[in-house]
Amino acid sequence: MESTITSAASPAVSKPKAVGKSDKHIWGIMLMLCVVSVIELYSASSREVASSSIGVMGPLLRHLVMLAGGLGITWFIARRHFSDFVVATLVFASVSVAMMVYVMLFGDYINGARRSMTLLGIGIFPAECLKLSAVLMIALIMAACQNQGQTGISGKGVVYSGLVVVVFSGLLFTQGMTNTVLLVAISFSMLMIAGAKFKHLLMLAGAFLAAGAVAIGVLYMVDVKAAQLTPADGAQTTALTHRKVSRVETWIARLTRHSDNSVPRWELPATGENRQEVLSYMAQAHGGVFGVGPGNSREAARLPLAFSDYIYAIVVEELGLAGGIFVLLLYLWLLGRAAGIVSRCNATYPALLVLGMAVMIAFQALFHMAIVTGVGPVSGQPLPLISKGGTSILVTCIAFGIMLSVSRTATHKNSKNQDKRDELDTLPEQMSGTNMMQL
């Protein structure tokens, strides 16, 4: 399979012309998310104003530059033919893994773990790139391992996809549990929609649970051992001893706190452990049904990470329940629109690309909203295209660009036969199967 896929690096057939225009709905969803982002980030970044060298507009201007750059990347990718992503996936995944390994060994500490690296003065979070790489790799593998002439992915494809998830999840696991769970949820959704057999999914789930149990045990032992290492002078100088509390213990504490219903959430006192949660609930309660209006947030100045991990609380406070539902519907609209594109694609590979990108964005948004509203335990997860964050914005823009590229260049089931043949000629032979998925 690897040799067949790699052979697409220099296809003998020139790229066919686009069969349509980029999907206007996806462009509209993206632009609306950008508008909400600009409005809400201005309020949510009040904590950063004091440290800005260019005054009150500093955080907003930086965010506008990032959004403009992201939109430029989206437009560039949208102009490419989707078959270009075969080789691009292998390159992007290799770079993402290399960056992640570097960060694990030499990265900067953020919230108790090595999470970022600095390149040319810009902070990069490889975990965001790794999630996108995993989805692209799974789409590539599943397209090459379809059951011929029938719906579904072969057992070999499930195994290969599972190996990708295990490796990439293992790398993500060193930084936190949420990204690992998110990646597993995305991959299982893609496998189910692509038609993997139930017995294969069940076996894969068992393997994931076993691997997860082993990983948690190993990480706990390493963290506890690291916490016990103290130099003779009492100063903690080694990299591992920056973790004073085991990450596993932190996860257990968060799960325990989340499941404790002895006191109603609206009666919880704000402490050092639950400050973010309580202030988030206060912000949402203050917003009511229609909100207090853009720029009138009361809690933005007090809520830690209001501009990133908790920005949905500020959205609800300023735009109310109605605004919160509107933002939720934008992500669900994207998922529904992607499903429509998938059902029309003639080839399997572009259908899987659109499916993976939409599921990744929608699931990350749902995870963020669940955490902020108290449905899920506390963890850090940006709201796609709305939260502040350079790497997150760029990765989300790449995902939008891929969906737009497929909507513009992939042939439909009712396209001319010649156009379909030209399209399949641009792909490796093993990936040239027609789309048998049924949504």
Side-chain angles (χ1 to χ4, degrees):
M1 183 184 69
E2 292 180 358
S3 60
T4 307
I5 292 176
T6 308
S7 65
S10 56
V13 181
S14 60
K15 297 293 186 296
K17 295 181 180 180
V19 297
K21 296 182 179 180
S22 298
D23 190 88
K24 294 180 179 179
H25 290 255
I26 294 179
W27 270 120
I29 293 167
M30 185 178 186
L31 293 176
M32 280 189 280
L33 289 173
C34 288
V35 170
V36 173
S37 176
V38 171
I39 294 173
E40 295 308 314
L41 194 87
Y42 180 70
S43 298
S45 297
S46 57
R47 277 173 164 259
E48 293 189 299
V49 170
S51 61
S52 174
S53 60
I54 55 178
V56 69
M57 299 298 292
L60 181 61
L61 290 176
R62 287 196 297 270
H63 188 63
L64 286 171
V65 170
M66 289 303 307
L67 288 178
L71 287 170
I73 290 174
T74 300
W75 179 85
F76 174 80
I77 295 176
R79 304 302 298 176
R80 309 277 73 76
H81 192 273
F82 73 83
S83 59
D84 292 339
F85 304 138
V86 175
V87 176
T89 292
L90 302 176
V91 175
F92 187 73
S94 300
V95 173
S96 298
V97 170
M99 289 194 301
M100 194 67 184
V101 172
Y102 175 84
V103 166
M104 289 170 59
L105 298 174
F106 311 107
D108 301 324
Y109 272 97
I110 299 177
N111 296 330
R114 294 189 186 273
R115 300 182 189 273
S116 69
M117 58 182 287
T118 302
L119 182 64
L120 301 177
I122 301 173
I124 299 175
F125 290 77
E128 298 296 323
C129 301
L130 207 65
K131 286 185 290 188
L132 176 61
S133 299
V135 175
L136 289 171
M137 286 296 296
I138 292 171
L140 198 67
I141 291 170
M142 289 198 298
C145 298
Q146 290 288 301
N147 287 323
Q148 296 299 322
Q150 56 182 315
T151 302
I153 179 176
S154 66
K156 181 175 65 174
V158 174
V159 172
Y160 288 157
S161 299
L163 289 175
V164 169
V165 176
V166 167
V167 172
F168 283 55
S169 295
L171 293 172
L172 290 172
F173 190 76
T174 60
Q175 296 190 353
M177 179 70 75
T178 309
N179 278 330
T180 305
V181 175
L182 176 59
L183 178 56
V184 171
I186 294 169
S187 61
F188 262 82
S189 298
M190 293 179 66
L191 287 166
M192 285 189 291
I193 297 174
K197 293 182 179 180
F198 179 75
K199 65 177 183 179
H200 292 156
L201 291 174
L202 198 60
M203 293 170 61
L204 192 60
F208 283 166
L209 289 174
V214 172
I216 290 175
V218 171
L219 183 61
Y220 179 77
M221 294 174 62
V222 169
D223 280 353
V224 170
K225 183 66 175 178
Q228 296 173 348
L229 295 177
T230 305
D233 60 358
Q236 293 184 332
T237 57
T238 62
L240 285 177
T241 54
H242 282 258
R243 299 174 181 164
K244 296 181 181 180
V245 180
S246 166
R247 295 296 298 169
V248 178
E249 291 177 342
T250 300
W251 299 337
I252 294 174
R254 289 176 175 177
L255 289 170
T256 302
R257 191 165 69 245
H258 175 72
S259 60
D260 183 8
N261 296 319
S262 59
V263 179
R265 295 189 186 279
W266 58 86
E267 295 181 4
L268 288 172
T271 64
E273 292 182 344
N274 67 1
R275 178 177 174 79
Q276 285 182 315
E277 303 157 66
V278 172
L279 292 178
S280 171
Y281 302 150
M282 291 174 64
Q284 294 169 74
H286 185 221
V289 177
F290 298 107
V292 297
N296 295 322
S297 171
R298 182 185 67 191
E299 303 300 332
R302 298 196 299 164
L303 177 61
L305 300 178
F307 50 82
S308 56
D309 293 347
Y310 279 84
I311 196 168
Y312 190 67
I314 307 304
V315 171
V316 174
E317 183 182 15
E318 296 194 348
L319 304 181
L321 176 64
I325 292 176
F326 173 74
V327 172
L328 170 62
L329 290 177
L330 286 177
Y331 293 108
L332 297 181
W333 181 11
L334 175 67
L335 197 59
R337 191 62 184 175
I341 296 174
V342 169
S343 65
R344 294 194 301 269
C345 284
N346 175 65
T348 300
Y349 180 57
L352 289 169
L353 280 176
V354 173
L355 172 65
M357 297 302 103
V359 168
M360 182 186 72
I361 294 173
F363 271 35
Q364 183 166 326
L366 293 175
F367 270 51
H368 174 98
M369 294 176 188
I371 292 167
V372 171
T373 58
V375 176
V378 174
S379 185
Q381 196 63 229
L383 187 59
L385 216 58
I386 294 183
S387 292
K388 177 189 174 183
T391 309
S392 176
I393 288 176
L394 294 181
V395 166
T396 304
C397 288
I398 291 173
F400 269 98
I402 291 173
M403 288 188 285
L404 290 166
S405 169
V406 171
S407 70
R408 190 180 72 89
T409 61
T411 60
H412 301 165
K413 293 181 178 179
N414 58 354
S415 297
K416 297 179 181 179
N417 290 332
Q418 184 60 48
D419 291 337
K420 294 179 181 179
R421 287 193 293 269
D422 291 344
E423 175 184 75
L424 296 179
D425 285 342
T426 65
L427 295 170
E429 182 180 355
Q430 201 166 353
M431 298 174 58
S432 60
T434 56
N435 180 19
M436 299 296 292
M437 289 190 294
Q438 298 179 9
L439 294 179

